[in-house]
Amino acid sequence: MGEIALPNGISNGSINGVNVNGQSHSLNGYRKSCWYEEEIEEDLRWCFALNSILHTGASQYQDIALLDTKPFGKALVIDGKLQSAETDEFIYHECLVHPALLHNPNPKNVFIMGGGEGSTARELLRHRTIDKVVMCDIDEEVVNFCKSYLVVNKEAFRDQRLEVVINDARAELETRNESYDVIIGDLADPIDGGPCYKLYTKSFYELIVKPRLKQGGIFVTQAGPAGIFSHTEVFSCIYNTLRKVFKYVVPYSAHIPSYADIWGWVMASDSPLDLNAEELDLRMRQRIKGENRYLDGKTFTSASTLSKTVRKSLDSETHVYTEESARFIYGHGKHA
């Protein structure tokens, strides 16, 4: 539920004639004093200064905006939730991609659920072992938007190893015959009225994802806020849900400044996920083109060592994510 606010009291306005929330205001002369504000909880908001609104749009599924922010550079916002910011998206995407690929002995093909901005594909394609990446996003508008505006991922979208599919990830996995070394859930957060919450359920993991993994295959998903107070929204129950489906499950987290919180991921497999820091570093040197900006072996060891509070909470979590008992992070999707 993001808003654009101005010092003169106008909020939810527009720049260059772009209408937001049904109101049209001329903001010429105010660009450098605009603020983006996101409601994280009912009594907590996070805001930062804008240089300008670069583009806004809407698809049948989601509202989309690209903002030029002062502290975080270009930022992609979907359904009022900041998805990715230029200055720190590398933290999120390195954490999402590399641990799973490095724990797999020889990953050749990967399926991305979501990932329309292209950053997950970019990180995957740095791995020398990769022959094919399938990026399946339900929202063609988001994919085309990111192709046009996110320059950092242009090479990834042009890479011949990348196949872009516009479809519901569940439907696509159901109809494909091939199996994958790694499946990645780079989906929007589960919010009420959003398009993705059904892809966090036990039945989906058990009946759709797991059968499409090769022997020794690994599934990893982004799992929402994972801070001391926020981890009980969805992180803990996504972890517990995957424990019901896979033999080995590793939760881990990292601070992402533009999210104003610690963020969580969960990696799962029926094969052990137990490489130490030195083994991870060796595989990075052997497999990955270029150098990571954030993740190395010691960083992953730290990321997967959760605080006492969060560990105890995850160990005692009993909720299993289903369509009937879904949990959501704070906010509302387009169809709420």
Side-chain angles (χ1 to χ4, degrees):
M1 296 186 292
E3 296 181 353
I4 308 300
L6 299 172
N8 66 349
I10 299 174
S11 65
N12 297 334
S14 66
I15 288 180
N16 293 340
V18 178
N19 186 276
V20 182
N21 287 359
Q23 300 181 27
S24 180
H25 302 287
S26 175
L27 304 187
N28 292 331
Y30 290 102
R31 285 189 190 182
K32 293 185 178 180
S33 55
C34 289
W35 287 77
Y36 170 77
E37 185 177 85
E38 182 175 316
E39 195 169 303
I40 298 174
E41 299 174 10
E42 187 173 356
D43 300 317
L44 179 63
R45 293 190 174 197
W46 165 239
C47 60
F48 41 83
L50 299 181
N51 292 315
S52 63
I53 301 174
L54 298 174
H55 190 78
T56 62
S59 72
Q60 69 181 97
Y61 301 105
Q62 300 163 120
D63 294 319
I64 313 158
L66 185 66
L67 311 177
D68 182 10
T69 78
K70 289 188 177 182
F72 302 118
K74 292 178 183 176
L76 178 67
V77 177
I78 295 179
D79 278 343
K81 292 287 185 182
L82 191 145
Q83 303 294 310
S84 180
E86 188 175 21
T87 59
D88 62 7
E89 58 86 7
F90 67 93
I91 303 172
Y92 172 94
H93 290 104
E94 287 183 15
C95 287
L96 175 67
V97 168
H98 299 306
L101 262 73
L102 294 168
H103 277 87
N104 188 286
N106 190 29
K108 296 288 187 182
N109 65 337
V110 179
F111 188 97
I112 309 169
M113 304 187 300
E117 71 176 88
S119 299
T120 297
R122 179 197 71 214
E123 292 300 316
L124 284 167
L125 293 166
R126 293 175 56 209
H127 283 253
R128 294 183 176 92
T129 62
I130 290 296
D131 293 330
K132 183 179 181 180
V133 173
V134 179
M135 187 187 86
C136 180
D137 199 291
I138 197 172
D139 200 332
E140 187 171 18
E141 183 77 19
V142 169
V143 174
N144 290 337
F145 182 96
C146 294
K147 279 184 180 180
S148 299
Y149 290 98
L150 300 184
V151 178
V152 69
N153 295 330
K154 283 192 178 293
E155 285 189 21
F157 279 114
R158 287 196 289 257
D159 195 300
Q160 294 299 307
R161 293 171 294 169
L162 177 64
E163 177 187 354
V164 177
V165 177
I166 305 301
N167 197 4
D168 174 75
R170 182 187 189 107
E172 189 67 24
L173 284 170
E174 282 179 327
T175 57
R176 283 183 172 256
N177 293 321
E178 59 189 323
S179 297
Y180 300 92
D181 296 301
V182 177
I183 296 177
I184 295 177
D186 187 17
L187 300 161
D189 300 320
I191 58 175
D192 191 12
C196 295
Y197 78 92
K198 295 180 181 179
L199 304 186
Y200 290 92
T201 61
K202 179 177 182 286
S203 62
F204 177 67
Y205 294 150
E206 194 167 46
L207 302 178
I208 307 299
V209 171
K210 191 172 182 178
R212 284 290 173 267
L213 286 171
K214 294 178 183 177
Q215 185 173 0
I218 298 170
F219 173 67
V220 63
T221 183
Q222 79 90 8
I228 290 290
F229 302 119
S230 60
H231 72 275
T232 55
E233 288 186 90
V234 295
F235 181 59
S236 60
C237 71
I238 291 172
Y239 165 72
N240 186 57
T241 302
L242 284 167
R243 280 198 300 182
K244 306 297 182 184
V245 178
F246 291 93
K247 187 175 181 180
Y248 301 96
V249 181
V250 177
Y252 56 102
S253 63
H255 175 63
I256 301 181
S258 63
Y259 288 1
D261 205 347
I262 293 173
W263 212 253
W265 301 265
V266 183
M267 180 169 57
S269 179
D270 281 341
S271 295
L273 301 167
D274 56 3
L275 294 181
N276 62 35
E278 291 74 22
E279 290 168 326
L280 287 168
D281 284 336
L282 176 60
R283 289 191 177 186
M284 286 183 201
R285 291 192 297 270
Q286 293 172 335
R287 296 186 188 182
I288 299 177
K289 299 174 185 175
E291 189 161 339
N292 290 339
R293 296 171 63 187
Y294 179 77
L295 192 78
D296 63 5
K298 287 183 178 179
T299 304
F300 181 73
T301 300
S302 173
S304 55
T305 305
L306 305 177
S307 71
K308 177 182 178 180
T309 300
V310 176
R311 287 199 316 272
K312 288 180 69 176
S313 182
L314 265 61
D315 288 344
S316 62
E317 178 65 77
T318 60
H319 188 89
V320 175
Y321 205 107
T322 67
E323 290 186 27
E324 296 74 29
S325 62
R327 285 185 182 175
F328 305 106
I329 69 165
Y330 187 81
H332 299 284
K334 188 170 183 177
H335 300 293

